[in-house]
Amino acid sequence: MGLLVNGEWHDTWYDTKSSGGRFERAPSGFRNWVTADGAAGPTGEGGFKAEPGRYHLYVSLACPWAHRTIIFRKLKKLTDAIGLSVVEPHMGSEGWTFSDDLPDHVHGARRLYEVYLKAAPGYTGRVTVPVLWDQERSTIVSNESADIIRMLNSAFDGFGDDTLDFYPEPLRSEIDEINERVYGSVNNGVYRAGFATTQEAYAEAFRQLFATLDELDEGLSDHRFLVGDQLTEADWRLFTTLVRFDAVYHGHFKCNWKRISDYKHLSEYLRDLFQIRGVKETVSFDHIKQHYYGSHRTINPTGIVPLGPNQILDAPHDRDRFPALGMPK
């Protein structure tokens, strides 16, 4: 996991010395918005108008943050309107890379950091996925997944499925509240546990993670989704962590108090979301396991990728007993 410093690439792991062993995620470097009319969004400048064929997504099938955007592009039926390039699962000394099998369809770059430098030659910061690229202005619109999924949710409704709204106005405050809690202790919590370099920092993240998972499991006992009966972005933000949990976070990141399969309601909920039409094909356990176990040599020095676990996410679930609003058709 490297970074650019004034446009120069450095193969540098996260430094936790100044944070007491705690992993602290750096803020995203690009925060502009695509809007239906090109006006400025909640953050950043305007001028990014939603148009088919103009924008391109750079993603990793291994990354939970990028996975959110892949799901939204798929469910909102934007695959023809927005292009997609996938990086190789293994992240080595040059960061995220492309290959002949997985090429950069826009620039023909071999390294993702080269795309960042095309947008900002003197860029300083982490080179992360997802990236939403504007081919007209030759720049990165955003590399913040939380913003990108909201753009995909509404800005491109003229070119995709405008019947789906994963961030409906009446539920926004509740969605935001859930997102904040889940992000800190679950989405980022698994990384805080896995990348911790002191026992205290690890234990802190570990306890917060499982306290929240316990609460979520209990909450899902009497309604289908995180916000009652409505499928929202909160569910998809949680899903991309849950679907990786038993395969990589439980063992590789030492989040081993329980597996998701040990939770009655969370495990049923995970299968429910996985089985929504179009979602299964966005999940690549091959990329997921190759990336985490093969790339994080500070955690797994041998780079051996485990063959298990044997997850059967196509198994029946009991979530159909609840009403369900906002489901893709």
Side-chain angles (χ1 to χ4, degrees), residues 51-264:
E51 297 174 295
R54 175 173 170 176
Y55 299 95
H56 196 83
L57 264 176
Y58 289 95
V59 300
S60 163
L61 301 183
C63 171
W65 319 102
H67 192 184
R68 302 171 175 182
T69 67
I70 300 170
I71 290 172
F72 272 64
R73 175 179 176 267
K74 182 72 174 181
L75 298 186
K76 290 289 291 185
K77 299 180 180 178
L78 294 170
T79 55
D80 291 334
I82 300 173
L84 189 76
S85 291
V86 178
V87 296
E88 284 287 335
H90 183 264
M91 185 173 60
S93 62
E94 295 183 312
W96 296 114
T97 59
F98 303 98
S99 66
D100 292 341
D101 293 330
L102 293 172
D104 171 5
H105 295 293
V106 176
H107 304 100
R110 301 299 287 188
R111 310 163 188 87
L112 184 61
Y113 74 71
E114 295 170 2
V115 176
Y116 273 67
L117 292 178
K118 288 180 183 295
Y123 180 76
T124 293
R126 294 284 174 183
V127 175
T128 60
V129 286
V131 170
L132 183 62
W133 178 267
D134 178 7
Q135 298 184 83
E136 181 176 296
R137 294 176 59 174
S138 296
T139 193
I140 294 173
V141 179
S142 178
N143 65 340
E144 171 51 62
S145 66
D147 295 350
I148 294 173
I149 62 174
R150 290 192 179 172
M151 297 178 215
L152 300 181
N153 181 62
S154 59
F156 295 88
D157 277 353
F159 318 107
D161 186 350
D162 63 358
T163 66
L164 289 178
D165 183 2
F166 296 123
Y167 192 55
E169 179 74 39
L171 301 177
R172 289 183 180 178
S173 61
E174 188 174 356
I175 293 170
D176 290 344
E177 181 181 347
I178 291 172
N179 284 345
E180 183 176 1
R181 178 162 57 102
V182 168
Y183 169 78
S185 57
V186 181
N187 298 142
N188 199 43
V190 292
Y191 286 88
R192 290 171 52 225
F195 289 169
T197 55
T198 65
Q199 188 69 37
E200 292 76 15
Y202 161 73
E204 176 183 81
F206 183 97
R207 294 189 180 102
Q208 291 174 2
L209 166 64
F210 284 99
T212 301
L213 289 177
D214 288 346
E215 292 171 5
L216 292 171
D217 187 67
E218 182 178 356
L220 288 166
S221 66
D222 57 6
H223 50 76
R224 189 161 184 174
F225 304 117
L226 296 182
V227 186
D229 300 326
Q230 179 79 44
L231 178 63
T232 71
E233 71 167 44
D235 298 294
W236 295 122
R237 287 171 53 126
L238 177 59
F239 170 80
T240 59
T241 298
L242 295 185
V243 79
R244 287 162 173 76
F245 198 96
D246 290 4
V248 291
Y249 302 143
H250 180 268
H252 183 57
F253 278 178
K254 306 178 186 70
C255 299
N256 58 358
W257 186 252
K258 293 181 183 179
R259 301 166 301 170
I260 297 304
S261 58
D262 296 324
Y263 285 96
K264 173 174 173 48

Side-chain angles (χ1 to χ4, degrees), residues 17-60:
K17 292 180 180 178
S18 62
S19 59
R22 291 171 175 80
F23 165 70
E24 296 180 348
R25 189 176 296 277
S28 299
F30 297 88
R31 296 292 298 273
N32 297 307
W33 281 72
V34 176
T35 55
D37 60 1
T43 61
E45 62 181 79
F48 296 96
K49 182 179 180 180
E51 297 174 295
R54 175 173 170 176
Y55 299 95
H56 196 83
L57 264 176
Y58 289 95
V59 300
S60 163

